Amino acid sequence: MTSELLRNLLIVNLALGAAIVGAVSLRATVRRRFGARMAYGLWLATPLAGLAVLVPRPEGLAGVLTAAAPMPFVTADAAAIAVSAVAAPMPAAVSLPDLLLLLWLAGVAVAGVLTLLAHRRGMASFGGLSASNERGTLRAAKTGLGTAMVGVWRPRLVLPADFETRFNAREQALILAHETHPQKSGDTRVNGVVALVA
């Protein structure tokens, strides 16, 4: 059970990694040819790739794929030796698949904690938040900051304390239009999903 779970996690992680590398590699070209929206949409490949490898293959297709991809350089004896080496119990009470699964879970936990700490540092950099005059926005206590969108499911725009004094009415309108676009188009939710699966 543990070895099958570990195998599935490994396959999903490889698919996610390949999708991330693909998105990063193609982003500039896609942005140039099709625009920023399409380049941003490349990140949807990450969760889709992870889900795609978990979809069971039809039995007939599995036989075709196996027959179409022979491995002439791996003999039955070599395969048996490799399987026995991987499946051989470790001297300790924990088997190799269990240990690898624990290491993977520890990595997930560390990545989650680092993400939460980065979020807390970012929120603390505002010096506190309060309701703003602008509908659906928050006001940072500090001045000299840029604007920021915070939150995943119910994102809110954070304005610096000196927003009205630092920017004229036209600049304020442009900033609000620019910053609220990701909120309306659901980009924060996409970012949340990508952060969760990556």
Side-chain angles (χ1 to χ4, degrees):
M1 172 67 176
T2 304
S3 59
E4 184 179 342
L5 177 62
L6 184 63
R7 178 184 165 278
N8 289 337
L9 286 173
L10 178 63
I11 291 170
V12 168
N13 276 290
L14 288 173
L16 293 175
I20 290 169
V21 168
V24 169
S25 315
L26 296 172
R27 188 174 53 183
T29 304
V30 170
R31 183 183 176 117
R32 235 183 352 264
R33 292 190 179 183
F34 304 106
R37 190 84 184 141
M38 289 296 286
Y40 190 73
L42 286 173
W43 291 109
L44 289 175
T46 304
L48 292 176
L51 291 173
V53 296
L54 294 177
V55 175
R57 293 182 297 182
E59 292 300 321
L61 182 60
V64 170
L65 290 175
T66 305
M71 298 175 60
F73 300 110
V74 179
T75 64
D77 292 336
I81 291 169
V83 168
S84 65
V86 171
M90 294 179 65
V94 180
S95 68
L96 179 61
D98 289 339
L99 179 63
L100 292 174
L101 180 60
L102 288 173
L103 287 172
W104 182 83
L105 290 172
V108 169
V110 167
V113 168
L114 291 175
T115 301
L116 288 175
L117 289 174
H119 174 72
R120 289 187 70 181
R121 277 193 305 273
M123 295 301 286
S125 70
F126 298 125
L129 296 172
S130 59
S132 174
N133 296 337
E134 298 288 337
R135 194 174 131 253
T137 62
L138 299 171
R139 182 67 56 147
K142 290 186 178 179
T143 61
L145 303 173
T147 56
M149 190 66 67
V150 297
V152 175
W153 303 115
R154 288 182 10 182
R156 306 278 299 272
L157 178 62
V158 177
L159 302 174
D162 57 350
F163 183 70
E164 285 80 10
T165 58
R166 191 161 36 133
F167 303 106
N168 63 38
R170 183 173 179 273
E171 291 171 331
Q172 290 176 35
L174 285 171
I175 290 168
L176 290 174
H178 171 76
E179 291 292 347
T180 55
H181 176 73
Q183 182 181 23
K184 293 174 184 172
S185 59
D187 290 349
T188 57
R189 292 181 183 92
V190 173
N191 288 344
V193 171
V194 170
L196 183 65
V197 299

